[in-house]
């Protein structure tokens, strides 16, 4: 199953870059009661890197509703006290993306479906994994007051 998911992921990314498709997505910085941050590893793309959970915004869907839905779909966690944390532009792989970042709290252990996600875990801010995507690292550094937001994902 994983080879098919990887192939579909790569083909979709190339097609979107070819036609210059503009996408809108969300990412979520969800923390538990102890302040630990929820990170995920996907089964496709850069499956070696930890990232913030998130995904695409459905047609007619508000970004905050997408953030709540994506966190629930990917991890089974419910986003509470959700608040916008920024809007970012990305131009990776020839595409134009708008990424809406939300912060909030959640409780309970994450559950992965084994299809889209390989792993989901809470990490204390002072014990983050080494293999974090560059964009996720920038968001964490902004969250911790170590850098100013520059608008690029």
């Amino acid at each position: 199953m994983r080879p098919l998911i990887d192939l579909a992921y790569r083909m979709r990314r190339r097609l979107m870059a070819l036609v210059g498709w503009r996408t809108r997505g969300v990412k979520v910085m969800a923390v538990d009661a102890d302040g630990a941050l929820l990170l995920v590893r996907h089964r496709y793309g850069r499956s070696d890197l930890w990232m913030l959970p998130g995904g695409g915004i459905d047609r007619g869907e508000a970004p905050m509703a997408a953030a709540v839905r994506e966190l629930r779909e990917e991890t089974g966690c419910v986003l509470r006290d959700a608040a916008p944390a920024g809007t970012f532009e990305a131009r990776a792989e020839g595409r134009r993306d708008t990424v809406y970042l939300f912060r909030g709290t959640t409780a309970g252990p994450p559950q992965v479906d084994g299809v889209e996600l390989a792993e989901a875990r809470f990490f204390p801010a002072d014990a983050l994994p080494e293999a974090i995507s560059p964009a996720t690292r920038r968001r964490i550094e902004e969250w911790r007051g170590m850098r100013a937001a520059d608008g690029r994902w």
Side-chain angles (χ1 to χ4, degrees):
M1 181 73 152
R2 181 173 176 174
L4 290 175
I5 292 171
D6 283 339
L7 177 63
Y9 173 78
R10 286 193 309 272
M11 288 176 57
R12 180 176 185 262
R13 304 276 293 182
R14 286 180 192 232
L15 177 64
M16 291 171 78
L18 182 65
V19 298
W21 197 342
R22 184 170 183 85
T23 61
R24 296 181 330 131
V26 295
K27 290 290 185 175
V28 179
M29 293 188 83
V31 296
D32 66 9
D34 296 324
L37 179 65
L38 180 60
L39 296 175
V40 301
R41 272 191 329 99
H42 290 93
R43 295 184 69 85
Y44 55 85
R46 291 297 310 268
S47 61
D48 60 318
L49 296 178
W50 289 92
M51 301 176 187
L52 295 170
I57 299 173
D58 290 339
R59 180 166 288 168
E61 185 177 35
M64 187 175 294
V68 170
R69 176 184 52 77
E70 283 290 340
L71 185 68
R72 187 184 64 250
E73 284 179 2
E74 286 194 354
T75 69
C77 294
V78 176
L79 185 62
R80 294 185 173 87
D81 308 316
T87 302
F88 300 85
E89 295 298 322
R91 294 195 177 265
E93 302 172 9
R95 296 177 311 137
R96 297 176 305 149
D97 296 320
T98 300
V99 181
Y100 299 89
L101 178 65
F102 291 88
R103 291 191 184 128
T105 60
T106 192
Q111 305 292 319
V112 298
D113 64 6
V115 176
E116 185 175 357
L117 293 184
E119 197 171 357
R121 291 183 20 210
F122 284 98
F123 292 92
D126 61 353
L128 296 169
E130 286 295 318
I132 295 177
S133 75
T136 298
R137 188 168 303 281
R138 286 190 295 273
R139 300 300 77 81
I140 292 169
E141 289 172 356
E142 292 163 4
W143 172 53
R144 296 179 71 191
M146 301 166 63
R147 77 180 292 147
D150 63 7
R152 70 181 177 96
W153 184 251

